[in-house]
């Protein structure tokens, strides 16, 4: 058995841990590009004030919507003009990915498209990225510990990754208290994303014993806290659980990849105005069903079949639970959270061929436990409408 595991240089987790940011940042740079959401809750405003009080010069860059190649280019130009030597992201996955991409591109020549997968030139970074600190304010993407940044391209109508092992954060500072102000709808969609990101690496053919352990712990915590954090937003223990689920998913996917849910989600996010977590929620049950059927038909000895059963048992705290039980539970959550099918975002059967063609070559699809045919992928989309 041979495998490797890569992650952020330092991970700090716990309620109140964000208070360490000023001291940590001063140890890595002298002028920061501070990447945030366009709207900051009170906890983030206080954190920014603490950075200012600590005497760290900052240039602000606000992210509105999903990060794009154009947005990262703008951030790079602003940071270069201000001679920033460290990047700090405080926000959701979009903010973290924008900052992560900026940290990578600022010291390197050229634009994002020169380095992007699939639609770009795919060049390798030459210079090391700037020091990067990530503070998530949502519990969903695990972007604080992943080695890629997902960027949209309007011209290509797709989302793809800028990826390099050196893009892993220098410090991932995960304070669950920063997630308390997230509204219920966002809590639900990001929570479903976090769940997907501990399930897909768990059944991935690229999984390892390390990622399996992380995913199994994440599945247990999601099972006990996903509904609770939606129904009781101020439940500190539930918020802490889901922040850890997100972190564990990020650690796992960075080393074991994902699967067909995210293979589709990146494509759909680039083609339609659709929330990433909600898309994952709509796709997860039909992807599970398609994978299980394909495995039983073509690879009945594949260990992923048993892993789907284990996942259900972890998620539902029931040794007799089956993969079908897990699919039913996930579908019930989507209904409870008011998450619609894909048709609500404008997806139509006439688009299926284009979506499938793009999804089959996506990076995330490479982690799926079995290669799915175009017909199988099309049936997933139909079931998720």
């Amino acid at each position: 058995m041979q495998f490797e595991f890569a992650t952020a240089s330092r991970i700090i987790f716990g309620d109140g841990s964000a208070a360490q940011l000023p001291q940590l940042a001063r140890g890595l740079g002298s002028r920061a590009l501070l990447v945030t959401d366009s709207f900051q809750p009170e906890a983030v405003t206080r954190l920014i004030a603490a950075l200012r009080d600590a005497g760290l010069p900052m240039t602000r860059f606000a992210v509105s919507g999903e990060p794009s190649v154009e947005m990262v280019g703008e951030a790079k130009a602003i940071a270069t003009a201000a001679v920033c030597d460290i990047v700090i992201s405080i926000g959701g996955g979009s903010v973290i990915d924008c900052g992560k991409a900026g940290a990578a591109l600022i010291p390197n020549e050229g634009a994002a498209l020169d380095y992007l997968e699939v639609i770009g030139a795919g060049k390798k970074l030459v210079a090391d990225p700037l020091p990067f600190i990530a503070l998530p304010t949502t519990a969903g993407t695990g972007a604080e510990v992943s080695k890629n940044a997902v960027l949209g391209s309007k011209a290509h109508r797709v989302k793809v990754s800028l990826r390099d092992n050196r893009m892993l954060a220098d410090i991932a500072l995960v304070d669950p208290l920063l997630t308390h102000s997230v509204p219920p709808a966002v809590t639900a969609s990001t929570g479903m994303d976090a769940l997907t990101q501990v399930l897909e690496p768990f059944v991935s053919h690229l999984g390892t014993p390390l990622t399996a352990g992380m995913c199994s712990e994440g599945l247990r915590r999601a099972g006990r806290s996903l509904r609770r954090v939606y129904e009781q937003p101020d439940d500190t223990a539930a918020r802490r659980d889901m922040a850890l689920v997100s972190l564990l998913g990020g650690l796992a996917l960075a080393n074991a990849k994902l699967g067909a849910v995210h293979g589709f989600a990146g494509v759909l996010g680039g083609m339609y105005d659709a929330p990433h977590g909600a898309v994952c929620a709509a796709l997860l049950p039909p992807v599970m069903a398609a994978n299980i059927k394909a495995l039983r038909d073509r690879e009945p000895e594949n260990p992923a079949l048993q892993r789907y059963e284990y996942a259900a048992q972890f998620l539902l705290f029931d040794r007799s639970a089956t993969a079908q039980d897990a699919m039913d539970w996930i579908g019930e959550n989507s209904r409870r959270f008011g998450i619609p099918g894909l048709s609500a975002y404008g997806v139509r059967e006439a688009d299926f061929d284009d979506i499938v063609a793009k999804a089959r070559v996506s990076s995330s699809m490479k982690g799926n436990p079995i290669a799915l045919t175009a017909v199988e992928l099309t049936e997933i989309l139909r079931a998720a409408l």
Side-chain angles (χ1 to χ4, degrees):
M1 181 184 297
Q2 294 185 351
F3 61 86
E4 63 177 271
F5 189 88
T7 192
S9 298
R10 186 176 179 188
I11 300 170
I12 302 171
F13 182 95
D15 292 355
S17 59
Q20 301 177 46
L21 177 61
Q23 178 184 356
L24 294 168
R26 289 300 300 267
L28 290 177
S30 59
R31 184 175 188 92
L33 176 69
L34 179 63
V35 185
T36 66
D37 289 299
S38 53
F39 170 79
Q40 292 94 43
E42 184 179 348
V44 174
T45 301
R46 290 197 302 266
L47 192 54
I48 295 171
L51 277 171
R52 190 178 296 111
D53 292 343
L56 180 67
M58 294 179 294
T59 298
R60 297 278 297 277
F61 184 80
V63 173
S64 179
E66 300 285 334
S68 64
V69 292
E70 296 83 8
M71 188 184 297
V72 172
E74 183 182 352
K76 175 180 176 175
I78 290 171
T80 301
V83 197
C84 296
D85 58 3
I86 179 176
V87 179
I88 302 170
S89 281
I90 308 174
S94 294
V95 170
I96 292 175
D97 274 0
C98 185
K100 192 189 307 182
L105 292 174
I106 290 164
N108 282 279
E109 294 183 357
L113 276 172
D114 295 326
Y115 302 93
L116 283 177
E117 301 173 348
V118 184
I119 62 171
K123 289 168 55 178
K124 301 296 183 184
L125 298 176
V126 176
D128 289 341
L130 295 183
F132 177 59
I133 301 178
L135 287 82
T137 59
T138 61
T141 67
E144 66 273 14
V145 288
S146 63
K147 55 190 174 184
N148 68 302
V150 181
L151 306 178
S153 170
K154 291 181 181 178
H156 299 87
R157 297 185 69 212
V158 73
K159 289 181 180 179
V160 295
S161 283
L162 174 67
R163 189 186 309 273
D164 191 290
N165 283 344
R166 291 171 292 173
M167 289 172 61
L168 288 159
D170 293 271
I171 300 173
L173 188 51
V174 185
D175 186 341
L177 295 180
L178 295 181
T179 70
H180 279 238
S181 60
V182 175
V186 178
T187 294
S189 64
T190 55
M192 294 297 281
D193 188 22
L195 169 61
T196 305
Q197 291 181 171
V198 290
L199 179 58
E200 289 203 296
F202 189 61
V203 298
S204 168
H205 69 97
L206 298 172
T208 72
L210 280 178
T211 59
M214 292 173 178
C215 290
S216 62
E217 181 67 15
L219 287 162
R220 282 190 287 263
R221 289 177 184 268
R224 77 184 183 190
S225 292
L226 178 58
R227 288 182 178 176
R228 199 164 83 231
V229 78
Y230 175 75
E231 295 167 353
Q232 303 172 43
D234 293 326
D235 188 318
T236 301
R239 287 285 185 189
R240 191 181 303 125
D241 264 354
M242 291 310 298
L244 191 52
V245 173
S246 180
L247 175 64
L248 291 167
L251 292 167
L253 73 87
N255 291 277
K257 289 193 178 290
L258 289 158
V261 173
H262 278 83
F264 274 128
V267 173
L268 293 168
M271 295 176 66
Y272 308 92
D273 184 14
H276 176 77
V279 169
C280 290
L283 286 165
L284 186 52
V287 165
M288 289 177 66
N291 277 341
I292 290 169
K293 183 178 186 305
L295 288 164
R296 286 174 176 164
D297 290 347
R298 300 198 292 274
E299 298 181 16
E301 301 303 317
N302 191 312
L305 270 175
Q306 187 62 61
R307 287 193 176 277
Y308 272 119
E309 302 298 319
Y310 289 150
Q313 293 163 27
F314 293 139
L315 191 63
L316 302 179
F317 292 84
D318 181 353
R319 290 187 177 182
S320 65
T322 66
Q324 184 61 55
D325 294 329
M327 286 185 272
D328 292 343
W329 185 85
I330 292 165
E332 170 57 28
N333 279 337
S334 291
R335 289 186 289 274
R336 184 178 296 221
F337 300 159
I339 295 174
L342 298 180
S343 60
Y345 308 113
V347 181
R348 299 290 180 264
E349 291 204 17
D351 305 327
F352 284 2
D353 288 348
D354 187 25
I355 296 168
V356 167
K358 291 178 178 177
R360 294 187 81 180
V361 297
S362 69
S363 176
S364 291
M365 194 68 79
K366 296 174 184 176
N368 206 59
I370 187 170
L372 297 174
T373 67
V375 171
E376 289 167 333
L377 292 171
T378 299
E379 286 306 309
I380 290 170
L381 289 173
R382 187 169 288 112
L385 277 182

